[in-house]
Amino acid sequence: MLLIGAEDEEKWLAEGIAGIQHNAFYLHRALDSNNLRDALKYSAQMLSELRTSKLSPQKYYELYMRAFDELRILEMFFKDESKHGVSVVDLYELVQHAGNILPRLYLLCTVGSVYIKSKEAPAKELLQDLVEMCHGVQHPIRGLFLRSYLAQISRDKLLDIGSDYEGDADTVMDAVEFILENFTEMNKLWVRMQLEGPGRVREKREKERSALQELVGKNLHVLSQIEGVDLEIYKETVLPRVLEQVVNCKDDLSQYYLMDCIIQVFPDEYHLQTLEMLLAACPQVQPTVDIKTVLSRLMDRLSKYAASSADVLTEFLQVEAFTKLSNAIEKVIEVQVDMPAVGAITLYVSLLTFTLRVHPDRLDYVDQVLGACVKKLSSIPKLEDSRATKQVVALLSAPLEKYNDTVTALKISNYPRVMDHLDNGTNKVMAMVIIESIMKNNTCISTADKVEVLFELIKGLIKDLDGATDELDEEDFKDEQNSVAKLIHMLYNNEPEEMLKIICIVWKHTMAGGPKRLPFTVPSLVFSALRLVRQLQGQEGDIVGEEVPATPKKIFQLLSQMIEALSAVPSPELALRLYLQCAENSKAQVTAIHLIIGALQRMNVFSVENRDTLTHKTTGYSARLLKKPDQCRAVYACSHLFWVDGQDGIRDGERVLLCLKRALRIANAAQQMASIARDSSGPVTLFVEILNKYLYYFEKGNKQITAAAIQHLIELINTEMQGDSATSDAFLASTLRYIQFQKQRGGVMGAKFESIKL
Amino acid sequence: MNYLVGAFKPPCNIFISFTDGRSRKQVPLKKENGKTVMVALFQSQENIVGEVVVIEPIHGKKVEHNGVKIELLGQIELYFDRGNFYDFTSLVRELDVPGELYERKTYPFEFSTVEMPYESYNGVNVRLRYILKVTISRNYVSNIVEYQDFVVRNYTPPPSINNSIKMEVGIEDCLHIEFEYSKSKYHLKDVIIGKIYFLLVRIKLKNMELEIRRRESTGSGPNTYVETETLAKFELMDGAPVRGESIPIRLFLSPYELTPTYRNINNKFSVKYYLNLVLVDEEDRRYFKQQEITMYRNLEAS
C-alpha cells in the first residue's frame, strides 16, 4: 500500500460525498413517490460509496455520517408500511437481495431496527441474526463502521428492551448478549487493523486506531445504560465476557483502552463488588500495556466512591478491597517484568493514596504498601530514573500529608526502609518534605524513640551519606540545614529526663554532620538545651536531694562538648556567641565561663583582631559575674587566654599580669565584703589560688611575673591569715611546700625560685 | 383493392382458448421476436380443454377444406440444428370433417390427462415448448394454421433425502476453508443457508462471492454444446478474514430466474445448476470451488 497524500484523500472524499449526494437525490425522489423498488436501488448505490478503501478513518467517518443521515430518512420510510405496502417481514427479505454485501447489510440493519420495533418477531432472534450477518464484512474499518451503525440504530430499541421488566430477565439478557457479541466482533476488527499493511506505517496506524476507539467503547457505554443490567448480570455475564475479550485480544491499545473504559463507564459499586474479577484480568494483559494507569484510575475512582458516604465504607471492608488491590498490584508487577521501576512505584503510590483515603485508620496497610515497595526496590539497582524517584517521594509524602501528624508516619516501620532506596539527592528532598510537614503541622516530637527514628529518616540532611560526591548548591544546602535547625526546636518534652535524652540523641546524630553542618545545627541544639536548663532551675526546689539524671551540670558538660566541636570548625565566632548565650545564666555561668575560656584558649584560628575582641569580651563577662569569688576565679582563669602553650601560642605576659592583678583586686574587694559580713573564709582561698596562678606563669617563664611579686603576694596572704582561722591552711601549706621543693631542686628552676623568701 | 388485400391474408381467422382460461394462471413467455406474452400454465396429467373458434371468411366467401384438426405438440428445438424440431409429444384431435366453412364455427376440444413430462424451457441453445396447433387443410392452397403456446411446469414434492453439502478445501499452506450449504436440493424460491469457515488464511483475500451458475449442455457425443451462464453474483464477504472466522451465507433464490435441474431431457439436453464459491485475493487471483446443486419446483413455494 502506498502512502497516500492528504490531497488525494480529499479528492476521494469529495468524490464519495458527491456519489452519495447524487444517489440520495434519486432516493428522495423515490421516497416522495413511494417507490420502494427505486428506493432500495438508489440507497444500495448510495451505500456502495462506503465500499471505498482509500480513506483514512477520519475521512471515512465523514462519508459514513453523510450516508447515516440518509439512512435515517430511509428508516422513516420503511417504518410506514402504508407508503410502500410491503410488510416488514418481506422487507427484511427484500433488502437481502442486494448483491453487494456492504449496502446489503446497512439496509438489513435499517430494516432490522424497524422490524424489532414492530415486535412482529422476537427481538432476540433478529438481533442475533443482524449481529451474525455482519460477520460478512471483515474489512476492519468498514466492518467497524457497519457494526457501529448497527449499535447506533439498535440502541434505543435495546434500551427499551433492556428496561422491559414485564417479561422475565431473558429480554434483558437478549439485549446484553447482542451488545456483547457486537462488541467482541468490533474489538476483533479493531485489533486486526494493527496487523494490516506494512510495519513502517505502524505509528500512523496506531493513530488511526485511536481515532476509532470510541466506536468500540460505545458498546460498553450502551451496556452501562441499560437499566436491566444489574449487579447480578454485570457480574455473571457482562464483565466476564468483556474481560475475556480484553485478555484474549492480546493487543496493547485495545487492552488499555478497554480496561479504562470498563472502569469509567460502569458504576463504582459494581467495581467494588467485582473487584476480584476485574483485578484478575490485570496481570493477564500484554506486558507492554500501561496497566498501572488503569489501576491507578480504578483506585482513584474507588477512593472517591469511598469518600462519598460512610455506608459505602463497610462495603469496602466486606470485600476486602485493600487486600485484593494489593495482591493484584503485586501480581501485575511480578508478571510485567519489563515494567520500569517508575511504573511499579506509581502503582504503590496509587494504592497508598487509596489506602489513606479509604482506610485512614489502618496504619498497618500503609506499612504493608511501603513494605511491598521496599521489596520491589531492593530487587532492582539503585534508582536512576528521575521519574521513579519522584514517585517515591510522592509515595512517602502521601502519609505525611494525610495524617497531618508526622509522628504517625514515624510509626511506620517500612518508612525508613523505603527511604534507604533513594539516591542522596532525593533522600534529602524527602527529608525536607518530612521536616516541612512537621513544621507545617506544628507537630511536637516528644519522645526519644521518635526522635531517634526521625533522625534516622532525615539522616540525608544530617550527615554525608556514603558515596555522596555530588556538587552541592550552596543555597540549597543552607536551606536544608536551616530546616534541620528549625526541626530541632520542634523536639520537646516536658520531662527533663526525657528531654535530655532527646538532646543527647540529636547531638549524637548531628555530631556526625561534619564541619559544614554543625554551624547550622548546633545553635538550635544549644538553645534547646539551655531552655531545659532554665526549666530545671525553675523547678530546682523540687528536685533537691533526689537522684536527678538531668542536672544543669550534665547539660553544660554536653553543651561544652557541642560548642567545642563547633570550635573545631571554622566558625568560632558563632561558638563564642553561643558560649555567651550559655553564660547568661546565673549560677551556671561560672561553669560556662570556665568552659568558654578553656575552649577559647585552645583555639588558634582567629585573626589577631578577632581574638582580641573575644578575649576582651570574655574577660569582661568574667568580671561581671554575680559573686565576687566567681568573678575572681573567672578573671584569673582568663589569664590563660593570653598565655597559650605550644610553639605558636600567644604569650602576652603583660596582659596575663593584668588579669592576675585584676583578680587580686577582686579578691581584695571580696575580702573586705567578707570581713564586713563576717562570712566565710573564701577570700583567703582566693588569694592562694591566685598565688598558684602566679607560680604557674612564673614557672612558664612569664617575664612579667617576678619573684618580687610572688614574694609580695605570699606576705599579703600571711597577713590576711593572721586575722583569720586556718581554714585554707592545707592549701596554703602545700603551695608553700611546693615553692620550697622547687627551691631545693636546683637547676634553672631552683635558681628562679631562689629569690623567693618564705 | 379489397380483393388484393385479402389475397395476402388468411381467408379466415382462428382463435384458440381454454375453458378455464380466466382462472388459469398465466405466466410470461418470451417469444422468438423478443416480446414477452402471457400464456396459460399447465402441468403434466392435466386436462387441456378449450375451444377453437373459426371466424367466418370475409365477404361471405366460402372456404373449402379437407378437415380441421388440433394437435398438441411438445417440441425440442436445438438452435444449432436450426429448423429441426423433435416432437416428443404429439396428440391430434379431428375437429371437423372435410367441407366448407362459411360461417363462424366453434369446435370444443379436450386432451385428457396429457402426459407432459418435460417443462417448457427457453435456454441459450435449446428450447422446449408446448403448442396447440389448429390446421385447416386445403387442397392446392396452403393450409390455414394457428398456434397457441402454453407453458408446462411440473412440481415435485420436497426430496426425502436432502443432505447438506460440506467440504473442506484449500491450497496447501495457503488457504484452508470449510464450507457448508445446508442442503443439496433447493426449490426455486428457496434460500441457501450456509457458512464458510476459515481454517487457515495465509493469503490476503479481498472478498468472497457466491455465484449461481447454469450449465446447459445440448446434443450428444462429439456434437455436445455446453453453455455456462452466471445467473447470480452474490458478495458474501468484504475484506480479509483471519483464521477461525466464520462467514454466514444467506442467499435468497427468488430474485433469480431459475428452472429446475433437467437431466438428459429426451436425450437432447440437460440443464444443471452449480454454486460456485469464489475467493478473490488482493492481486485479483480467483480461487473457487464449484458444487452442483439440484433445483426442483415446489408447489407450495411457487
Side-chain angles (χ1 to χ4, degrees):
Chain A
M1 195 166 79
L2 290 165
L3 289 169
I4 42 172
E7 226 167 273
D8 287 342
E9 219 188 335
E10 285 295 339
K11 200 182 78 196
W12 286 320
L13 175 62
E15 277 172 14
I17 290 174
I20 285 182
Q21 281 169 338
H22 175 79
N23 285 301
F25 172 76
Y26 287 105
L27 172 62
H28 292 164
R29 277 227 311 226
L31 295 181
D32 289 343
S33 55
N34 293 335
N35 186 338
L36 178 64
R37 229 183 123 79
D38 280 1
L40 290 178
K41 179 179 147 197
Y42 288 112
S43 54
Q45 281 181 17
M46 177 186 80
L47 290 165
S48 290
E49 295 295 339
L50 291 177
R51 297 173 72 204
T52 178
S53 299
K54 291 171 175 170
L55 300 177
S56 69
Q58 286 89 340
K59 302 281 181 223
Y60 191 86
Y61 178 73
E62 269 183 59
L63 200 61
Y64 164 84
M65 281 316 291
R66 302 261 177 171
F68 182 81
D69 293 341
E70 301 300 335
L71 286 174
R72 295 314 291 237
I73 301 170
L74 187 63
E75 189 192 356
M76 297 298 289
F77 174 72
F78 284 155
K79 241 180 228 168
D80 192 349
E81 197 182 317
S82 69
K83 282 195 171 166
H84 49 75
V86 178
S87 72
V88 69
V89 185
D90 292 340
L91 212 50
Y92 196 70
E93 184 193 319
L94 212 50
V95 293
Q96 294 187 62
H97 293 174
N100 279 321
I101 186 156
L102 199 67
R104 178 167 76 232
L105 291 177
Y106 270 105
L107 289 174
L108 188 68
C109 292
T110 313
V111 176
S113 106
V114 176
Y115 202 170
I116 295 169
K117 194 114 191 160
S118 76
K119 300 204 162 135
E120 281 181 44
K124 177 185 181 172
E125 282 169 28
L126 285 169
L127 289 170
Q128 222 157 32
D129 190 50
L130 289 174
V131 85
E132 170 70 19
M133 291 312 282
C134 284
H135 269 284
V137 180
Q138 291 288 316
H139 184 275
I141 296 182
R142 293 196 286 271
L144 268 173
F145 276 94
L146 172 67
R147 285 184 180 276
S148 158
Y149 177 70
L150 173 59
Q152 181 83 23
I153 202 160
S154 57
R155 188 166 163 261
D156 48 340
K157 286 99 198 164
L158 290 171
L159 293 181
D160 278 357
I161 299 166
S163 313
D164 186 7
Y165 291 107
E166 299 293 313
D168 41 353
D170 285 354
T171 49
V172 182
M173 284 307 291
D174 295 342
V176 170
E177 276 299 327
F178 165 74
I179 299 171
L180 282 173
E181 176 74 27
N182 202 35
F183 158 75
T184 307
E185 291 305 322
M186 281 179 87
N187 188 46
K188 279 186 192 162
L189 289 170
W190 189 42
V191 169
R192 205 184 298 166
M193 264 184 85
Q194 193 64 43
L195 310 171
E196 301 249 310
R200 65 196 154 89
V201 291
R202 192 186 160 83
E203 213 163 290
K204 181 170 169 257
R205 178 120 12 231
E206 216 149 84
K207 227 169 105 191
E208 288 183 352
R209 285 191 60 204
S210 304
L212 291 174
Q213 64 187 23
E214 301 284 313
L215 296 183
V216 185
K218 189 91 184 146
N219 286 298
L220 298 180
H221 192 66
V222 174
L223 272 177
S224 73
Q225 284 181 326
I226 296 181
E227 262 181 61
V229 177
D230 52 13
L231 181 59
E232 177 86 358
I233 294 179
Y234 177 74
K235 197 174 184 174
E236 298 298 324
T237 311
V238 176
L239 187 63
R241 291 272 299 276
V242 174
L243 286 179
E244 184 193 353
Q245 180 57 29
V246 170
V247 170
N248 289 344
C249 77
K250 295 190 167 32
D251 174 77
D252 301 13
L253 189 61
S254 170
Q255 290 184 329
Y256 174 73
Y257 172 71
L258 292 178
M259 285 303 279
D260 197 37
C261 201
I262 294 173
I263 291 167
Q264 301 305 331
V265 301
F266 291 107
D268 300 322
E269 185 201 343
Y270 288 11
H271 293 318
L272 191 59
Q273 295 300 333
T274 55
L275 204 52
E276 198 154 13
M277 209 184 296
L278 188 60
L279 293 174
C282 292
Q284 293 180 58
V285 299
Q286 297 299 96
T288 39
V289 173
D290 182 16
I291 196 72
K292 63 170 192 299
T293 312
V294 173
L295 277 172
S296 301
R297 288 194 189 158
L298 173 64
M299 288 184 269
D300 195 44
R301 274 199 68 149
L302 285 179
S303 44
K304 276 184 191 142
Y305 177 54
S308 67
S309 96
D311 301 341
V312 181
L313 269 178
T314 49
E315 276 180 51
F316 274 85
L317 293 173
Q318 262 167 22
V319 299
E320 295 177 317
F322 173 79
T323 320
K324 282 174 187 167
L325 283 169
S326 161
N327 288 343
I329 286 173
E330 206 159 300
K331 240 181 231 156
V332 165
I333 291 173
E334 191 183 302
V335 173
Q336 299 206 348
V337 193
D338 294 335
M339 176 158 45
V342 59
I345 298 163
T346 313
L347 273 177
Y348 286 124
V349 173
S350 304
L351 179 60
L352 191 68
T353 318
F354 169 82
T355 313
L356 292 172
R357 283 198 204 157
V358 181
H359 305 292
D361 51 333
R362 297 296 297 265
L363 258 190
D364 55 331
Y365 283 171
V366 176
D367 200 16
Q368 207 174 319
V369 177
L370 292 177
C373 192
V374 168
K375 217 171 100 190
K376 172 68 191 170
L377 287 171
S378 26
S379 69
I380 52 174
K382 198 94 176 169
L383 287 172
E384 302 279 321
D385 186 357
S386 66
R387 285 177 307 151
T389 46
K390 225 180 224 167
Q391 286 299 331
V392 178
V393 171
L395 181 78
L396 292 170
S397 310
L400 299 179
E401 280 160 28
K402 173 69 191 179
Y403 287 117
N404 288 335
D405 172 11
T406 321
V407 180
T408 318
L410 298 182
K411 287 186 199 151
I412 304 170
S413 68
N414 277 309
Y415 202 95
R417 290 168 62 197
V418 176
M419 283 195 71
D420 284 344
H421 288 281
L422 290 171
D423 62 51
N424 296 330
T426 322
N427 207 319
K428 278 186 201 162
V429 171
M430 199 52 235
M432 286 295 279
V433 172
I434 295 174
I435 294 173
E436 272 160 27
S437 158
I438 294 175
M439 304 309 294
K440 197 179 80 193
N441 300 312
N442 233 343
T443 315
C444 181
I445 317 285
S446 59
T447 70
D449 293 348
K450 282 180 190 165
V451 172
E452 177 76 49
V453 177
L454 177 64
F455 272 78
E456 194 56 40
L457 285 181
I458 60 165
K459 66 184 172 201
L461 296 179
I462 302 301
K463 60 184 181 193
D464 289 326
L465 292 174
D466 302 336
T469 51
D470 42 346
E471 281 296 307
L472 289 170
D473 181 19
E474 202 60 35
E475 289 276 311
D476 288 352
F477 180 77
K478 271 186 190 162
D479 281 352
E480 287 166 14
Q481 296 307 319
N482 283 333
S483 297
V484 176
K486 281 190 222 162
L487 173 68
I488 292 172
H489 287 299
M490 299 305 295
L491 317 174
Y492 181 70
N493 192 317
N494 257 333
E495 281 298 311
E497 189 179 338
E498 191 66 25
M499 189 62 205
L500 182 60
K501 264 194 207 163
I502 291 175
I503 291 172
C504 286
I505 287 165
V506 175
W507 172 237
K508 187 182 85 192
H509 284 281
T510 47
M511 211 160 48
K516 290 181 84 175
R517 289 191 182 76
L518 283 176
F520 292 93
T521 48
V522 168
S524 295
L525 193 56
V526 168
F527 280 102
S528 189
L530 289 174
R531 187 167 61 180
L532 177 62
V533 174
R534 269 196 295 275
Q535 188 194 355
L536 281 172
Q537 286 171 346
Q539 54 187 223
E540 208 170 8
D542 308 338
I543 53 164
V544 167
E546 285 177 38
E547 273 299 309
V548 202
T551 61
K553 193 177 172 198
K554 275 191 181 172
I555 296 167
F556 276 113
Q557 279 169 355
L558 194 60
L559 277 173
S560 140
Q561 272 179 37
M562 290 175 198
I563 302 177
E564 261 180 52
L566 190 56
S567 56
V569 304
S571 47
E573 284 180 66
L574 182 66
L576 178 73
R577 286 214 303 277
L578 288 174
Y579 275 133
L580 300 181
Q581 189 67 39
C582 298
E584 273 177 14
N585 288 284
S586 60
K587 183 177 169 187
Q589 282 173 346
V590 185
T591 328
I593 281 288
H594 283 279
L595 289 169
I596 292 169
I597 294 163
L600 203 51
Q601 191 228 9
R602 262 178 282 148
M603 281 188 277
N604 50 10
V605 287
F606 298 107
S607 65
V608 176
E609 197 179 325
N610 279 340
R611 190 180 166 94
D612 274 356
T613 322
L614 289 170
T615 47
H616 180 73
K617 277 253 172 191
T618 317
T619 343
Y621 272 111
S622 307
R624 263 179 281 148
L625 286 171
L626 193 63
K627 292 176 182 166
K628 288 286 176 196
D630 290 342
Q631 281 180 12
C632 175
R633 290 193 176 102
V635 171
Y636 70 64
C638 279
S639 66
H640 285 286
L641 291 176
F642 307 105
W643 193 271
V644 181
D645 282 336
Q647 288 203 321
D648 308 321
I650 296 164
R651 295 178 179 202
D652 190 342
E654 205 168 318
R655 293 183 70 172
V656 169
L657 186 62
L658 276 174
C659 280
L660 293 179
K661 281 188 172 162
R662 199 170 174 182
L664 269 176
R665 267 203 309 280
I666 298 166
N668 258 326
Q671 175 71 10
Q672 278 163 21
M673 279 171 70
S675 52
I676 292 164
R678 288 272 155 241
D679 205 23
S680 69
S681 59
V684 181
T685 323
L686 286 177
F687 288 123
V688 181
E689 282 166 22
I690 295 169
L691 174 61
N692 273 287
K693 287 289 165 198
Y694 267 87
L695 287 172
Y696 170 77
Y697 289 112
F698 185 64
E699 273 178 42
K700 291 286 176 192
N702 188 338
K703 298 280 191 307
Q704 306 297 324
I705 310 294
T706 57
I710 296 171
Q711 186 72 50
H712 177 72
L713 189 56
I714 295 170
E715 280 163 19
L716 177 71
I717 292 168
N718 284 332
T719 345
E720 287 297 330
M721 286 295 286
Q722 284 161 6
D724 211 332
S725 53
T727 26
S728 56
D729 266 358
F731 190 19
L732 180 64
S734 59
T735 309
L736 293 176
R737 228 177 7 258
Y738 175 73
I739 297 171
Q740 203 64 42
F741 166 74
Q742 288 289 24
K743 283 172 79 140
Q744 288 163 6
R745 231 169 58 158
V748 186
M749 213 35 95
K752 259 187 129 179
F753 276 86
E754 199 54 50
S755 52
I756 301 171
K757 302 253 169 18
L758 289 174
Chain B
M1 277 301 282
N2 279 342
Y3 177 74
L4 274 173
V5 171
F8 299 103
K9 286 184 126 183
C12 60
N13 287 321
I14 303 167
F15 292 96
I16 307 164
S17 63
F18 300 105
T19 311
D20 52 1
R22 298 210 165 189
S23 56
R24 183 161 289 277
K25 193 179 178 187
Q26 305 274 309
V27 293
L29 178 74
K30 213 173 186 181
K31 305 274 280 183
E32 290 100 326
N33 60 13
K35 287 189 178 156
T36 306
V37 292
M38 298 302 285
V39 297
L41 174 68
F42 290 90
Q43 53 177 306
S44 195
Q45 309 283 343
E46 266 193 298
N47 297 329
I48 299 174
V49 187
E51 54 185 26
V52 174
V53 178
V54 180
I55 308 290
E56 70 275 14
I58 313 150
H59 308 308
K61 277 188 183 170
K62 292 175 186 164
V63 177
E64 284 182 25
H65 63 84
N66 292 338
V68 180
K69 63 175 183 185
I70 183 166
E71 292 166 282
L72 189 157
L73 299 173
Q75 297 180 327
I76 295 172
E77 183 184 352
L78 299 164
Y79 296 153
F80 57 85
D81 198 7
R82 193 148 285 278
N84 277 326
F85 301 102
Y86 299 94
D87 292 347
F88 56 88
T89 294
S90 176
L91 301 169
V92 188
R93 295 285 183 273
E94 294 292 342
L95 296 178
D96 207 353
V97 290
E100 287 181 342
L101 282 169
Y102 51 88
E103 56 177 2
R104 169 191 287 247
K105 252 190 143 167
T106 305
Y107 306 104
F109 69 90
E110 176 172 358
F111 299 95
S112 306
T113 56
V114 189
E115 196 68 44
M116 296 179 288
Y118 310 130
E119 287 198 345
S120 303
Y121 173 69
N122 219 336
V124 182
N125 283 328
V126 63
R127 179 166 70 164
L128 189 152
R129 66 174 195 162
Y130 287 92
I131 40 177
L132 288 170
K133 180 180 179 189
V134 174
T135 313
I136 303 173
S137 342
R138 296 193 289 178
N139 284 330
Y140 314 117
V141 283
S142 60
N143 295 339
I144 304 169
V145 182
E146 180 63 34
Y147 300 96
Q148 173 65 51
D149 283 84
F150 67 92
V151 168
V152 171
R153 287 178 183 172
N154 288 325
Y155 303 101
T156 42
S160 53
I161 299 168
N162 197 348
N163 295 324
S164 67
I165 300 173
K166 198 171 177 179
M167 192 175 270
E168 195 186 318
V169 289
I171 310 160
E172 205 175 330
D173 293 332
C174 279
L175 182 68
H176 278 266
I177 63 168
E178 190 182 281
F179 62 84
E180 181 176 359
Y181 309 124
S182 60
K183 295 189 273 189
S184 51
K185 294 165 184 164
Y186 296 90
H187 64 76
L188 300 184
K189 309 287 178 194
D190 218 339
V191 190
I192 297 173
I193 303 284
K195 243 180 194 338
I196 295 111
Y197 188 70
F198 286 85
L199 300 164
L200 178 78
V201 193
R202 291 244 176 90
I203 45 178
K204 295 283 280 177
L205 292 175
K206 198 163 70 178
N207 68 350
M208 173 167 70
E209 53 192 28
L210 191 63
E211 293 176 343
I212 302 175
R213 311 185 98 196
R214 174 156 67 194
R215 192 160 168 271
E216 178 188 288
S217 60
T218 47
S220 56
N223 294 323
T224 308
Y225 293 80
V226 176
E227 202 66 50
T228 307
E229 289 170 89
T230 301
L231 301 178
K233 269 182 184 238
F234 189 74
E235 196 182 12
L236 290 177
M237 182 185 76
D238 170 27
V242 291
R243 213 177 72 151
E245 203 66 65
S246 111
I247 308 297
I249 306 172
R250 184 190 295 151
L251 171 55
F252 289 91
L253 294 176
S254 56
Y256 308 105
E257 285 177 16
L258 306 176
T259 67
T261 298
Y262 302 135
R263 291 187 207 282
N264 206 12
I265 298 300
N266 206 32
N267 278 328
K268 288 285 182 295
F269 75 98
S270 298
V271 175
K272 291 179 177 176
Y273 286 90
Y274 296 88
L275 287 180
N276 193 25
L277 183 68
V278 185
L279 294 107
V280 186
D281 73 9
E282 282 194 328
E283 273 118 45
D284 282 323
R285 280 187 295 250
R286 293 162 75 84
Y287 310 85
F288 58 88
K289 180 70 189 173
Q290 193 161 286
Q291 291 292 123
E292 194 189 343
I293 52 168
T294 303
M295 300 301 300
Y296 67 94
R297 199 184 293 281
N298 181 272
L299 183 58
E300 288 89 57
S302 47

